[in-house]
Amino acid sequence: MTRRWPDLGSLELLLLIAEHGSLGKAARLHGITQASASRRLDTLERELGVPLLHRSTTGSRLTPQGEVVAGRARVALEAAGELLAGVDALRRDRDARVRVAASMTVAEYLLPGWLVALRRAAPDVEVGLRVANSEVVCRLAREGDIDVGFIESPYLPEGLTARQIAQDRMVVVVAPRHPWARRRAPLGFAELAATPLVRREPGSGTRHAVDRILAGQDVAAPALELSSNAAVKVAVEAGVGPAVLSVLAVAAELREGRLVEVPVAGFDGRRPLFAVWPGRARLAGAAAELVRLAGSSGHSRHLPGQRRAGEETGRTGGGRGDGRVTGE
């Protein structure tokens, strides 16, 4: 037989009757009508199977069984109060701390501004940050080691809720003295693929994005492979060769004239940036505020064929066939 737990509000009403000797006064203190209070006590008596009240024109008093129930109810309500207080403490602790992981490009060029905005909005929030590639960020989210992660990926990750919060663009860059810097017409796509490039190491998100862009072409072997955007930029400036990098990573160099962007015919280097978090639950507290600030930072734009910034999706299967998320 399934046990039916008594309603805590009805137990609280019973204690008010015991204290004040009046069903009407107990109802007023409880914020309900006397008729509602009477019905709730009738229901409680039926559920417990014992009489709880003697009602009369002079008031209401507890039966002997009601006295016993009231004594046990007091203990139960005190325990329930402790439970709620503990949950409130957990909620405050959750709202005061947020565990974040971000892929390298996001961590270097976007996340600092988002965290400054979060500090203005919630100055007491403590942020724990891990920087890793997108694949590791997704693993940390699945395992519950972070509250929210930020990745750049051509695929929506499996087992996580993902929200597009920004957009990145890959660009071809060269040193100012490179012949491509003086071109008047856009570079041919086949010529780009056939040129040895300075590239990120295999497994990085930037490398994966370039591989997707050049897929189906006769691609030349890399001129050099390096493990960071900064190293790639130094090599390009030194004249080792062209590179394809995030516009976020080369914005300063383009602005200062240390690198030159080369237009390429048929080249679409756009890629979405996602916030991801465990399961299908909605974010709350500081994590939700951080994602909101990221999505409203001015980097979000709609990508053809992608979800608009702020639209959530829960993934149970892979995108584009395999669901892989490769890290930056």
Side-chain angles (χ1 to χ4, degrees):
M1 179 178 178
T2 302
R3 182 189 297 271
R4 286 180 59 91
W5 296 98
D7 174 63
L8 294 181
S10 298
L11 294 179
E12 187 177 26
L13 185 62
L14 183 67
L15 292 181
L16 289 173
I17 296 171
E19 180 179 353
H20 297 284
S22 167
L23 180 62
K25 187 170 185 179
R28 288 193 300 275
L29 292 173
H30 202 64
I32 59 177
T33 65
Q34 183 168 339
S36 294
S38 182
R39 286 194 297 271
R40 292 182 71 167
L41 266 297
D42 288 342
T43 299
L44 183 61
E45 285 181 324
R46 286 196 302 272
E47 289 177 346
L48 297 180
V50 294
L52 300 175
L53 288 181
H54 286 303
R55 296 175 174 86
S56 68
T57 56
T58 58
S60 300
R61 59 184 178 84
L62 302 188
T63 64
Q65 297 96 326
E67 295 285 355
V68 173
V69 171
R72 300 299 176 93
R74 189 171 287 107
V75 175
L77 290 170
E78 288 174 356
E82 292 175 1
L83 171 64
L84 294 177
V87 171
D88 286 342
L90 290 173
R91 187 181 299 112
R92 288 192 299 271
D93 183 61
R94 179 202 64 187
D95 293 344
R97 293 188 300 115
V98 57
R99 301 168 299 164
V100 180
S103 63
M104 294 176 188
T105 296
V106 174
E108 286 183 278
Y109 302 106
L110 293 177
L111 189 60
W114 300 343
L115 293 179
V116 168
L118 179 64
R119 177 57 58 91
R120 292 197 189 104
D124 295 330
V125 169
E126 175 186 340
V127 177
L129 175 61
R130 297 179 66 171
V131 179
N133 64 43
S134 294
E135 187 174 354
V136 172
V137 171
C138 290
R139 176 174 58 78
L140 292 171
R142 288 190 192 95
E143 294 175 357
D145 292 331
I146 59 171
D147 299 308
V148 64
F150 296 97
I151 63 171
E152 67 268 18
S153 168
Y155 301 120
L156 295 177
E158 295 181 19
L160 298 174
T161 296
R163 176 186 297 178
Q164 185 185 324
I165 44 83
Q167 176 178 307
D168 191 14
R169 182 170 65 91
M170 307 298 291
V171 294
V172 178
V173 293
V174 296
R177 60 184 176 275
H178 191 280
W180 288 359
R182 298 184 293 275
R183 291 181 63 97
R184 294 185 178 275
L187 185 70
F189 202 74
E191 185 178 355
L192 172 66
T195 301
L197 303 175
V198 181
R199 305 187 70 177
R200 284 288 302 275
E201 78 286 3
S204 76
T206 295
R207 176 63 173 264
H208 185 62
V210 176
D211 287 344
R212 283 174 56 83
I213 290 168
L214 299 179
Q217 299 290 323
D218 186 9
V219 180
L224 195 62
E225 292 182 346
L226 298 167
S227 60
S228 72
N229 290 334
V232 172
K233 290 188 291 184
V234 169
V236 175
E237 286 188 53
V240 174
V244 184
L245 289 171
S246 163
V247 72
L248 297 169
V250 297
E253 288 78 8
L254 293 175
R255 189 167 54 249
E256 296 165 7
R258 290 184 282 132
L259 293 176
V260 176
E261 180 179 348
V262 181
V264 180
F267 181 91
D268 185 357
R270 292 173 294 177
R271 63 175 178 175
L273 307 179
F274 290 104
V276 297
W277 59 90
R280 296 180 178 275
R282 285 194 172 274
L283 284 180
E289 179 65 6
L290 179 58
V291 170
R292 185 191 70 78
L293 291 168
S296 62
S297 65
H299 293 281
S300 293
R301 297 292 185 271
H302 180 48
L303 293 175
Q306 296 287 348
R307 288 170 172 79
R308 295 184 183 275
E311 185 176 351
E312 294 176 15
T313 177
R315 293 292 295 176
T316 56
R320 298 292 297 269
D322 61 5
R324 288 186 301 127
V325 175
T326 314
E328 155 40 294

